Amino acid sequence: MSNFSYEFTRAITRLPAPSIVHGLRAEDLGNPDHDQMLKDHAHYVLTLKEAGASVTELPTLEAYPDSVFVEDVALCLPEVAVLMRPGAPSRLGEVIEMAPVLSGVYDQVLEIKGPGFIEGGDILMTAKEILVGLSSRTDKAGVAELAEMVSRWGFKLREVTTPPGVLHFKTDCSLLDTETILSTKRLDATGCFENYRVIHTADGEEAAANSIRFNHLVIMPAGFPRTRDLLLNEGYEVREINNSECARLDGGMSCLSLRF
Ligand code: CIR
């Protein structure tokens, strides 16, 4: 039986626009270098293909600086795609751009209508449930609307919290296999992963938590050798991608694709 939480056939990505220099960020660490980001993005897409993905590569959207972070605008379940309602006002228009793309792939595309807000970066699908972290971008009303919507396919949704100062729930965790989560210690300390096996990122390597499992590969940001070695010792097959530019905008591996 296939496992919908990390076995996928398709991914959607979007090329970073030159306007990426205006992307949102919690802290000013300097502007990302667009040329470097294009190289990293090409490597990311190639690695998704190595993992077995058929990748739909969308063109740049200059009007939306953060549009490379496609994960936040939709939730792609096996049966249905749900368009999100980003809590960042500058990102609302990205949803309208993604709608026709998903309609071309899915028989059914639903949308979060509000008044609540919810972003894909706050949603972690596991084999048994959908975890959604409240954050500065995702509120209770957004979670409730999604919970009601997906209950019709039998999905169980659990509302959890994101530690203060962390942009999205998945900034601090990722799914490694049906029972294993890679998490920062600060997120795990909230108790949200009690029913899972948890591997902690190495101290000082918290940014490694935003990785993805796509079929046989774990795709993680480069530069976190102790966490990489932990994963290798656990038997995971790992690929590392330079993430220096996305990191300036609080982005990591999960944000850069929709996977289904
Ligand atoms: C933002 O603040 O919305 C973007 N600069 C980064 C979004 C990262 N997305 C994600 O973690 N899923």
Side-chain angles (χ1 to χ4, degrees), residues 54-107:
S54 154
V55 186
T56 301
E57 299 173 66
L58 302 175
T60 59
L61 280 180
E62 183 64 13
Y64 299 105
D66 286 296
S67 54
V68 66
F69 302 117
V70 285
E71 172 180 71
D72 295 319
V73 300
L75 173 65
C76 292
L77 298 171
E79 301 86 348
V80 62
V82 183
L83 293 163
M84 300 282 109
R85 188 160 186 261
S90 66
R91 303 200 57 189
L92 280 166
E94 293 174 37
V95 179
I96 298 160
E97 300 285 344
M98 189 57 78
V101 179
L102 291 175
S103 296
V105 177
Y106 276 90
D107 289 338

Side-chain angles (χ1 to χ4, degrees), residues 20-31:
I20 190 80
V21 293
H22 303 300
L24 298 170
R25 66 206 78 179
E27 205 185 326
D28 193 3
L29 302 170
N31 281 336

